[in-house]
Amino acid sequence: MAAAESTTPYTLIKDIEARSRTRAIGLPQQVEVRRTWSGIGFRVGELLLVSSLGDVGEILVYPQLTKLPHAKKWVKGVSNNRGTLLPVLDLRGFIEGIATEINKRSRVLLVENDNLSVGLLVDEAMGLRHFFDEERVGGLSSLPESYRGYVVGGYKQGNTQWAVFNMEKLIEHRKFMEVAVRM
């Protein structure tokens, strides 16, 4: 009983503190928070592009198309996308005049802007891409002249350059809506 009497509230608290310190998990590490920008990456020819998440609604496997008579070469046709007619346009064909070769990696990016829905054929969809603010670059030296009107900067990760492609600038281009061949 002598041992129990020598235990005061103060010594009890000190004993609990000592046991807690031996079993305690360290404080959380301070992690540096870095600002990022995310977008959907895709490839057109050899060019790597990325568009804002808000610009691309969906990535589709190349669909079965109905050809449109008297349409320009870069108009691939229309597709039924869940009950909605979706015009599918070849992005490279429109910008460069070079038709995209259809293969198993070909994808269609669904772009919606106001009342317009359009599918853009690209060589490959690269999925979600994340970039740190310090990777942002102003100009891209390797960017072909024909793309400069649609690109609003870029990012460089290692040796890889990604051009930020603005879908709104594409849709607002007056020639983008001129899909019929003049006879």
Side-chain angles (χ1 to χ4, degrees), residues 8-57:
T8 64
Y10 178 76
T11 56
L12 236 139
I13 290 173
K14 284 303 240 176
D15 181 49
I16 291 172
E17 178 188 25
R19 283 185 285 151
S20 296
R21 286 186 188 271
T22 60
R23 294 186 179 112
I25 298 172
L27 290 173
Q29 294 179 348
Q30 282 190 328
V31 178
E32 179 185 353
V33 177
R34 295 165 61 186
R35 291 188 52 173
T36 61
W37 181 85
S38 300
I40 300 294
F42 55 98
R43 184 176 57 80
V44 175
E46 297 302 314
L47 189 60
L48 295 176
L49 302 167
V50 63
S51 284
S52 169
L53 290 173
D55 286 350
V56 179

Side-chain angles (χ1 to χ4, degrees), residues 78-93:
V78 292
S79 166
N80 180 347
N81 186 41
R82 289 189 222 68
T84 302
L85 285 181
L86 180 69
V88 176
L89 312 176
D90 183 348
L91 183 59
R92 188 174 188 192

